[in-house]
Amino acid sequence: MNGCIGRKLSICMLLACIVLPAAYAQDITKFGVVDTSRVYAAYFRDTAPVRSYESKKAEFQKEVDRMTQELRDLQEQKLEQEKNGNDAAALRLESQITQRTSYLTEYTNAKNIELESLRRSLESSDEFYQKLYDTLGRIAENGGYSMILSLQQANGILWYSPSVDVTDQVISALGL
């Protein structure tokens, strides 16, 4: 009789070991991550405001490159004057270099502030974020996700598996 009870107890424990993990597996929270900057880039890639931003950014970089080359040329001229012993000309060139370096720094700071302001205004598009949140909600519900995290606000994300990245699904669902 004790052998029968022991066998029944063993079978019950074996079943519990098989059934309980399966029951608890359904309670595991499923997370997803999305790279919102990639979604943003895909969403706005062909819009006039983004083309304008990119154009201004390229124009700014072209101007910085031009001014930087001018500074290099002045520096070479200064070295040549110093080599030839013309200290007065080298001093005048040093003054020009200092003035133009200061202007380039001010210009760069002002343009970076302007570009950052334009970028922020593009990224804060209410229409974009409404579509993004609606799309994320659908993907989360259809995929069984309890939470979708943004990689841009990754303060707490130390590691994630690429298998939870739903960025491509979001871009596809937005029709991009």
Side-chain angles (χ1 to χ4, degrees), residues 60-72:
F60 160 61
Q61 187 59 52
K62 184 177 177 182
E63 186 64 14
V64 166
D65 291 346
R66 185 190 63 75
M67 286 190 259
T68 301
Q69 185 58 49
E70 284 179 3
L71 284 170
R72 284 188 196 119

Side-chain angles (χ1 to χ4, degrees), residues 32-74:
V33 295
V34 65
D35 185 343
T36 52
S37 66
R38 272 187 45 217
V39 174
Y40 167 80
Y43 185 81
F44 285 107
R45 175 181 37 233
D46 295 325
T47 64
V50 168
R51 285 193 308 268
S52 173
Y53 169 79
E54 293 298 331
S55 172
K56 285 182 183 189
K57 187 175 168 184
E59 180 182 311
F60 160 61
Q61 187 59 52
K62 184 177 177 182
E63 186 64 14
V64 166
D65 291 346
R66 185 190 63 75
M67 286 190 259
T68 301
Q69 185 58 49
E70 284 179 3
L71 284 170
R72 284 188 196 119
D73 293 345
L74 286 173

Side-chain angles (χ1 to χ4, degrees), residues 21-33:
Y24 284 115
Q26 293 177 358
D27 291 336
I28 293 177
T29 302
K30 185 174 177 184
F31 290 91
V33 295

Side-chain angles (χ1 to χ4, degrees), residues 5-169:
I5 293 175
R7 244 182 275 178
K8 287 182 182 180
L9 186 58
S10 295
I11 292 173
C12 286
M13 289 182 73
L14 181 62
L15 286 174
C17 288
I18 294 172
V19 173
L20 286 177
Y24 284 115
Q26 293 177 358
D27 291 336
I28 293 177
T29 302
K30 185 174 177 184
F31 290 91
V33 295
V34 65
D35 185 343
T36 52
S37 66
R38 272 187 45 217
V39 174
Y40 167 80
Y43 185 81
F44 285 107
R45 175 181 37 233
D46 295 325
T47 64
V50 168
R51 285 193 308 268
S52 173
Y53 169 79
E54 293 298 331
S55 172
K56 285 182 183 189
K57 187 175 168 184
E59 180 182 311
F60 160 61
Q61 187 59 52
K62 184 177 177 182
E63 186 64 14
V64 166
D65 291 346
R66 185 190 63 75
M67 286 190 259
T68 301
Q69 185 58 49
E70 284 179 3
L71 284 170
R72 284 188 196 119
D73 293 345
L74 286 173
Q75 189 67 30
E76 287 177 18
Q77 290 173 20
K78 177 186 166 230
L79 291 173
E80 187 66 31
Q81 293 300 327
E82 288 174 341
K83 183 178 159 185
N84 293 336
N86 192 345
D87 293 337
L91 193 58
R92 279 193 305 275
L93 287 168
E94 179 65 34
S95 175
Q96 285 181 354
I97 290 169
T98 301
Q99 288 174 347
R100 290 187 183 188
T101 300
S102 177
Y103 176 77
L104 176 59
T105 300
E106 290 173 19
Y107 176 82
T108 301
N109 289 338
K111 289 299 181 177
N112 280 334
I113 289 169
E114 180 182 336
L115 286 172
E116 180 63 21
S117 176
L118 282 171
R119 186 187 62 76
R120 269 192 247 123
S121 70
L122 285 171
E123 288 182 351
S124 66
S125 164
D126 289 338
E127 177 188 345
F128 166 69
Y129 280 105
Q130 186 59 51
K131 281 185 177 180
L132 176 63
Y133 292 128
D134 291 346
T135 302
L136 286 172
R138 281 193 315 276
I139 288 171
E141 289 172 8
N142 292 338
Y145 295 100
S146 301
M147 185 181 299
I148 296 183
L149 306 169
S150 171
L151 288 176
Q152 278 58 49
Q153 275 93 50
N155 298 341
I157 301 175
L158 299 177
W159 179 88
Y160 74 93
S161 169
S163 66
V164 299
D165 188 344
V166 297
T167 304
D168 292 331
Q169 282 180 277

